[in-house]
Amino acid sequence: MLLGSQALLIARYMDLLSVRQKLTATNIANADTPGYLARDIDFGEEMARALEQSPEGVASPLIVRQVEGLPIKNDGNNVSLDRELRILGEAGIRYSLASLMLRNSIQSVRSAIREGQT
């Protein structure tokens, strides 16, 4: 691959962020559902697993877990809107940064190709 293993890791990072955003959106949508327990991935653990794999390797399935340590309301639901909104905001910022890094990698390759053509 022209962009190398760094670009593959950035892409995996962005995939993890996307999954986390979807889980967070699901948690928010179920904030009033009796008995619903918030779910999430351990982002650090999943990224470490991605780093352990060979760059060309197929990504292993994610481990989605129920979030522990959140207070459970009377209806059995433990979704904390403050937590979920913080995660969404953080993931958005991280995704924008990763997108910028990937874009810069692509521009570097394009620049090298153009210089090789002259």
Side-chain angles (χ1 to χ4, degrees):
M1 178 172 198
L2 285 175
L3 297 176
S5 62
Q6 181 183 12
L8 289 173
L9 286 175
I10 293 171
R12 179 67 174 154
Y13 181 81
M14 293 173 78
D15 288 343
L16 290 174
L17 288 171
S18 177
V19 167
R20 194 163 196 213
Q21 284 179 317
K22 288 175 187 174
L23 286 169
T24 302
T26 300
N27 289 342
I28 291 171
N30 286 288
D32 293 326
T33 303
Y36 181 83
L37 299 174
R39 299 179 312 147
D40 201 356
I41 58 172
D42 183 331
F43 194 86
E45 179 182 311
E46 294 298 336
M47 198 61 211
R49 285 181 31 193
L51 288 170
E52 289 172 2
Q53 295 172 354
S54 65
E56 294 79 23
V58 176
S60 58
L62 298 177
I63 299 170
V64 178
R65 299 181 174 130
Q66 290 181 350
V67 180
E68 296 181 12
L70 296 176
I72 297 176
K73 300 174 217 147
N74 291 337
D75 64 357
N77 186 304
N78 73 344
V79 175
S80 166
L81 287 178
D82 289 339
R83 176 188 180 274
E84 303 304 324
L85 292 174
R86 178 189 54 81
I87 290 171
L88 274 182
E90 180 183 297
I93 291 168
R94 287 180 176 204
Y95 198 90
S96 293
L97 180 60
S99 175
L100 179 63
M101 291 172 63
L102 193 55
R103 194 172 329 133
N104 287 342
S105 293
I106 292 168
Q107 286 175 346
S108 295
V109 170
R110 283 183 179 164
S111 177
I113 290 170
R114 284 189 201 118
E115 286 181 19
Q117 291 176 343
T118 57

